[in-house]
């Protein structure tokens, strides 16, 4: 690849550092670099968030609430008041038989003095209904001199994503300078125009110019929706660049070495013989895929998707036996302490009778216990190590780590996954990786987000599960639910009451502000329900409890000593209590479908018919109604994930700290999913041709400091 690359045309202009632009000193260059804007090309791709139309004037009478507009008007009256804080109200008129109020909360005296009756203003902003007709809060404006006609803009004004320390006007000016350097022809255009995928789409240069400076007649609705041909042209190239980068990462991984875990499988057979159940067909199939991967001297990179309750853990345990059989170590990481504890309990129950030593390493393990665990891990005495993020920290050294299992991978960042991989043996080998997730990833997404992983699906639930009946109920009917819980508990059944807030605990597992608020909400609910339900044994679990307290509560619930468990979303993953058959989820309309589906997976694990009540705050928007309907209508996690993607978009589905997915500049996987098959064909072609174009595309869109670097 290198030889060809050297003869490829230099990328004129694009790779020029921003410091070459007029007016960019070291300070500004530093601020831009901090935002990933190091070259002129980066500025080309720093696309507007939205546009402001200053190409026309709107008469005040024609203003519409919520629609940004530009107005020329004359000041009629000025009022300075004080309601909790100073306010300035400026009434303006334009002869269209209507007045508009401009309202300011922050203003300097000199500014207020400008607004004398009779002064002409040009202003821009979004009108909203106020006390006396429409008003604009903090419009952008300028005072017009006598007889001045400032004219109108030719193109729509771009509004760019902010860059810390660089004002919007400066940023606009610099991007304008960068655009002046846009080359023409094949230097810029890396994709052959003859490609069917490009048919009917403008070229790259034209697309960039259209997006930065849309003509006044541009289709603003299409631009806002991201469906403008110029956006599709860029989205195609961006998706291609990401796909290529993942494919290359995968190729690089296949060059790495790993221990071939190709023993006879005697330990696995013993585990299977002692399990109280037989594997489902899907579990057997996936285990065989894993086993085939592990027997190779190349690192396995496999994602196992399986709906909640599909039985992923036992597949991981079976994989672990193959490493143990070869005298190697296994690390299993789970995103929460609760989940990790449950894995620990399962693996100990399954593996210790077979003579396998399972160690425990979580953040809460400190002092002597920690030192001992670390020593066992370092000496290799601990064959399987279960834990949380603590496993990935520095200071945790393995004797011979050959397999890394990461559960609920969407909760970890790619970097964390890699940190664990790097704990493998040094002599040129890396551990095999098995990633498990119950968040089903739609096929379209899997292709892009996980182009570096092989995907297996456990698409069958163990026998004997009853589908969960799901209903959506307004929070106004809460008291009926309290009765329902009373009745269920009187019959010896158990229930969950899940309190949610939109904020989640920080993804690195440290309790964030969100977790604190969640905990407070749960505490209040716990108090209320305890009062309303005398005779029902109510307990509370949330992320701020000590691990031992949490575990004690969970154990009490599991043993039937607790009837009603008030909880935060800490119970989302993994908790397994078959006798619980009623779940109430508060503020369900604010949660993602995938998360609700996860929560719902806590019930329907036993023989009793189970119900999940989705409590919502009325009024319910049409979209929210549609989303809750999806859950009412299906229990199929894959279908739910597809719908979630459709209704919310991939950023929310996978979490913003995912593989950089949310960092797309133009592309949107939900909207542009139709482009993906073409992307794949294009990628095959480019990788085949090996003429340096793939490198340049990746460099252009993802940068030399690739976010996938080393991944
Ligand atoms: P998940 O895929 O959600 O992680 P788990 O691995 O926690 O699911 O399994 C859920 C429950 O199902 C556990 O109690 C597990 O022991 C049980 N289980 C797993 N496989 C089977 C099977 N083939 N037959 C019956 N029960 C099973
Ligand atoms: Mg699980």
């Amino acid at each position: 690849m290198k030889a060809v690359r050297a003869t490829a045309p230099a990328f004129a202009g694009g790779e020029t550092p921003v410091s070459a632009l007029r007016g960019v000193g070291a300070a500004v260059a530093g601020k831009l670099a901090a935002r990933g804007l190091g070259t002129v090309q980066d500025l080309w791709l720093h696309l507007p968030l939205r546009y402001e139309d200053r190409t026309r004037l709107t008469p005040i009478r024609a203003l519409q609430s919520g629609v940004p507009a530009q107005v020329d008007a004359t000041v009629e009256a000025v009022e300075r008041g004080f309601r909790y804080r100073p306010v300035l109200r400026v009434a303006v008129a334009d002869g269209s038989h209507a007045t508009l109020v401009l309202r300011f909360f922050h203003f300097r005296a000199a500014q207020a003095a400008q607004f004398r009756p009779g002064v002409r203003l040009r202003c821009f902003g979004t009108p909203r209904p106020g006390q006396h007709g429409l008003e604009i809060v903090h419009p952008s404006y300028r005072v017009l001199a006598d007889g001045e006609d400032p004219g109108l803009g030719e193109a729509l004004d771009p509004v760019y994503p902010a860059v810390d320390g660089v004002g919007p006007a400066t940023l606009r000016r610099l991007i304008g300078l960068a655009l002046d350097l846009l080359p023409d022809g094949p230097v810029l255009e890396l994709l052959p125009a003859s490609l069917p995928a490009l048919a009917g789409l403008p070229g790259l240069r034209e697309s960039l110019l259209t997006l930065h400076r849309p003509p006044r007649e541009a289709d603003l609705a299409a631009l806002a929706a991201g469906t403008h041909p110029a956006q599709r042209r860029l989205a195609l190239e961006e998706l291609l660049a990401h796909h290529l980068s993942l494919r290359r990462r995968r190729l690089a991984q296949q060059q790495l070495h790993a221990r071939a875990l190709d023993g006879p499988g005697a330990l696995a057979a013993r585990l299977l013989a002692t399990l109280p159940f037989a594997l489902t067909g899907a579990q057997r199939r996936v285990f065989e895929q894993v086993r085939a991967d592990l027997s190779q001297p190349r690192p396995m990179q496999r994602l196992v998707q399986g709906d909640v309750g599909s039985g992923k853990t036992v597949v991981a345990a079976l994989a672990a036996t193959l490493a143990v059989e070869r005298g190697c170590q296994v690390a299993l990481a789970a995103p929460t302490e609760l989940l990790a504890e449950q894995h620990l309990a399962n693996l100990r129950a399954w593996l210790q009778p077979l003579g396998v030593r399972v160690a425990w390493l979580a953040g809460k393990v400190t002092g002597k216990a920690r030192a001992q665990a670390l020593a066992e891990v370092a000496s290799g005495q601990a064959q399987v190590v279960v834990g949380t993020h603590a496993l990935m920290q520095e200071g945790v050294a393995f004797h011979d780590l050959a397999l890394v299992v990461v559960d609920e991978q969407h909760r970890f960042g790619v970097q964390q996954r890699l940190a664990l991989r790097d704990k493998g043996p040094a002599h040129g080998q890396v551990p095999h990786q098995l990633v498990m997730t119950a968040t089903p990833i739609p096929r379209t997404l899997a292709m892009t987000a996980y182009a570096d992983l092989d995907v297996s699906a456990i698409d069958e639930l163990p026998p004997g599960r009853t589908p969960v009946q799901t209903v959506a109920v307004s929070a106004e009917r809460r008291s009926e639910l309290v009765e329902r819980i009373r009745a269920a508990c009187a019959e010896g059944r158990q229930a969950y009451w899940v309190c949610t807030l939109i904020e989640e605990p920080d993804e690195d597992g440290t309790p964030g502000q969100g977790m604190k608020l969640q905990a407070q909400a749960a505490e209040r609910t716990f108090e209320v329900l305890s009062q309303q339900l005398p005779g029902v044994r109510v307990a509370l679990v949330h992320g701020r409890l000590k691990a031992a307290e949490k575990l004690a509560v969970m154990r009490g619930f599991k043993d039937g000593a607790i009837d009603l468990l008030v909880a935060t979303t800490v119970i989302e993953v993994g908790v397994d209590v078959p006798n619980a058959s009623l779940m109430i989820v508060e503020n369900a309309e604010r949660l993602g479908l995938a998360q609700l589906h996860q929560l719902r997976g806590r019930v329907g694990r036993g023989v009793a018919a189970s119900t999940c009540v989705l409590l919502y705050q009325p009024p319910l928007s049409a979209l929210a109604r549609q989303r809750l309907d999806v859950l009412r209508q299906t229990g199929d996690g894959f279908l739910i994930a597809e719908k979630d993607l459709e209704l919310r978009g991939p950023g929310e589905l996978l979490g913003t700290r995912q593989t950089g997915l949310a960092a797309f500049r133009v592309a949107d996987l939900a909207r542009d999913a139709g482009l993906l098959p073409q992307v794949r064909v294009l990628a095959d072609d480019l990788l085949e041709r090996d003429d340096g174009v793939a490198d340049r595309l990746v460099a252009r869109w993802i940068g030399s400091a690739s976010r996938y670097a080393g991944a």
Side-chain angles (χ1 to χ4, degrees), residues 318-525:
L318 285 163
T321 62
L322 297 175
V324 171
E325 185 174 67
R326 275 276 174 240
C328 303
Q329 288 173 295
V330 180
L332 192 159
T336 67
E337 193 121 349
L338 200 59
L339 187 54
E341 278 163 6
Q342 198 161 290
H343 283 321
L344 179 72
N346 277 326
L347 291 186
R348 282 198 168 145
W350 290 334
L351 297 178
Q352 281 190 349
L354 307 180
V356 178
R357 174 131 185 88
V358 183
W360 170 237
L361 199 57
K364 302 261 166 63
V365 180
T366 52
K368 246 171 116 177
R370 181 177 163 81
Q372 195 195 335
L374 286 178
E376 282 183 19
V377 174
S379 71
Q381 197 189 349
Q383 292 153 296
V384 176
V385 188
V386 180
T388 55
H389 307 80
L391 278 179
M392 301 169 183
Q393 281 159 7
E394 276 179 53
V396 181
F398 288 81
H399 177 67
D400 189 1
L401 180 62
L403 170 63
V404 167
V405 182
V406 180
D407 196 15
E408 300 302 338
Q409 108 102 16
H410 65 291
R411 295 268 181 133
F412 290 108
V414 173
Q415 293 313 323
Q416 288 173 313
R417 173 152 67 89
L418 294 173
L420 197 45
R421 191 196 69 183
D422 292 342
K423 293 191 181 293
H427 33 275
Q429 289 186 339
V430 294
H432 297 279
Q433 278 193 75
L434 179 63
V435 174
M436 305 195 290
T437 182
T439 307
I441 292 141
R443 261 170 21 84
T444 46
L445 263 186
M447 217 175 90
T448 314
Y450 295 106
D452 67 324
L453 296 173
D454 294 303
V455 180
S456 299
I458 305 185
D459 49 8
E460 179 185 352
L461 291 182
R465 305 270 168 87
T466 41
V468 180
Q469 198 206 349
T470 303
V471 291
V473 170
S474 160
E476 285 162 355
R477 290 169 53 199
R478 187 186 161 108
S479 53
E480 291 170 35
L481 288 175
V482 174
E483 280 319 303
R484 196 158 169 175
I485 294 173
R486 195 195 310 277
C489 294
E491 285 173 22
R493 298 195 291 152
Q494 290 168 283
Y496 293 99
W497 186 293
V498 184
C499 304
T500 67
L501 288 174
I502 5 179
E503 297 90 343
E504 292 229 304
D506 295 347
E507 275 174 45
D508 59 1
T510 55
Q513 182 64 12
M515 203 177 214
K516 183 170 161 195
L517 293 173
Q518 273 208 346
Q520 286 168 351
E523 268 159 22
R524 272 195 304 278
T525 306

Side-chain angles (χ1 to χ4, degrees), residues 188-205:
L188 183 69
E189 200 68 60
L190 295 175
L191 305 180
S194 58
L195 283 174
L198 297 181
L201 297 180
L204 184 56
R205 179 186 156 84

Side-chain angles (χ1 to χ4, degrees), residues 277-280 283 306-314 342-343 346 350 407-408 436 438 458 462-463 465 574 576 602 605:
F277 49 76
L279 293 189
T280 62
Q283 284 171 318
D307 215 340
V308 279
S310 62
K312 294 182 290 295
T313 319
V314 72
Q342 198 161 290
H343 283 321
N346 277 326
W350 290 334
D407 196 15
E408 300 302 338
M436 305 195 290
I458 305 185
R465 305 270 168 87
D576 191 25
R602 301 308 111 219
R605 300 189 147 237

Side-chain angles (χ1 to χ4, degrees), residues 28-349:
V28 171
K31 301 283 185 199
L32 291 170
R35 187 69 160 68
L37 304 172
T39 64
V40 161
Q41 174 169 270
D42 292 332
L43 291 178
W44 296 340
L45 298 177
H46 193 69
L47 295 168
L49 283 175
R50 58 189 173 83
Y51 304 93
E52 290 180 350
D53 185 356
R54 290 188 173 83
T55 67
R56 64 195 95 218
L57 291 171
T58 306
I60 292 178
R61 186 171 31 84
L63 290 176
Q64 288 176 301
S65 171
V67 180
Q70 179 166 250
V71 172
D72 272 1
T74 306
V75 175
E76 294 221 307
V78 182
E79 187 188 301
R80 276 179 80 158
F82 194 93
R83 270 175 67 90
Y84 312 110
R85 52 184 174 166
V87 346
L88 176 66
R89 289 156 43 92
V90 181
V92 299
D94 64 355
S96 68
H97 305 291
T99 49
L100 170 70
V101 171
L102 311 179
R103 189 200 284 265
F104 300 84
F105 296 106
H106 316 279
F107 53 93
R108 283 164 285 119
Q111 196 181 359
Q114 289 181 314
F115 298 116
R116 291 180 314 275
V119 162
R120 283 198 313 135
L121 301 173
R122 166 161 294 186
C123 39
F124 186 93
T126 306
R128 306 267 176 213
Q131 281 167 334
H132 314 284
L134 290 176
E135 62 178 42
I136 300 180
V137 174
H138 285 264
S140 63
Y141 72 94
R142 57 179 283 212
V143 174
L144 300 180
D146 261 351
E148 180 188 350
D149 176 8
L152 291 170
E154 299 267 299
L156 304 180
D157 289 342
V159 179
Y160 290 106
V163 172
D164 240 3
V166 182
T170 306
L171 187 60
R172 261 202 306 277
R173 187 177 61 80
L174 295 178
I175 291 175
L177 289 176
L179 289 173
D180 291 343
L181 298 177
L182 258 183
D184 221 338
V187 176
L188 183 69
E189 200 68 60
L190 295 175
L191 305 180
S194 58
L195 283 174
L198 297 181
L201 297 180
L204 184 56
R205 179 186 156 84
E206 190 188 334
S207 299
L208 287 170
L209 288 175
T210 303
L211 293 179
H212 284 284
R213 303 165 171 165
R216 55 177 301 186
E217 65 280 2
D219 184 348
L220 266 181
L223 284 172
T227 54
H228 193 283
Q231 286 161 319
R232 288 181 66 79
R233 169 62 183 77
L234 292 182
L236 180 77
E237 191 171 314
E238 181 171 38
L239 289 172
L240 178 61
H242 279 258
H243 187 74
L244 282 169
S245 142
L246 286 167
R247 290 271 293 268
R248 287 199 323 189
R249 175 163 102 183
R250 185 185 165 84
L251 287 173
Q253 270 160 354
Q254 284 166 348
Q255 309 303 313
L256 299 172
H257 300 283
R259 278 287 278 277
L261 305 175
D262 52 0
L267 200 54
R270 281 172 60 204
L271 172 54
L272 284 172
T274 55
L275 283 176
F277 49 76
L279 293 189
T280 62
Q283 284 171 318
R284 266 203 308 276
R285 190 186 69 239
V286 171
F287 174 55
E288 283 314 318
Q289 288 166 345
V290 168
R291 188 168 173 185
D293 286 354
L294 292 178
S295 70
Q296 299 298 313
R298 285 187 307 278
M300 170 174 76
Q301 300 287 328
R302 187 167 287 277
L303 173 72
V304 171
Q305 301 183 34
D307 215 340
V308 279
S310 62
K312 294 182 290 295
T313 319
V314 72
V315 173
L318 285 163
T321 62
L322 297 175
V324 171
E325 185 174 67
R326 275 276 174 240
C328 303
Q329 288 173 295
V330 180
L332 192 159
T336 67
E337 193 121 349
L338 200 59
L339 187 54
E341 278 163 6
Q342 198 161 290
H343 283 321
L344 179 72
N346 277 326
L347 291 186
R348 282 198 168 145

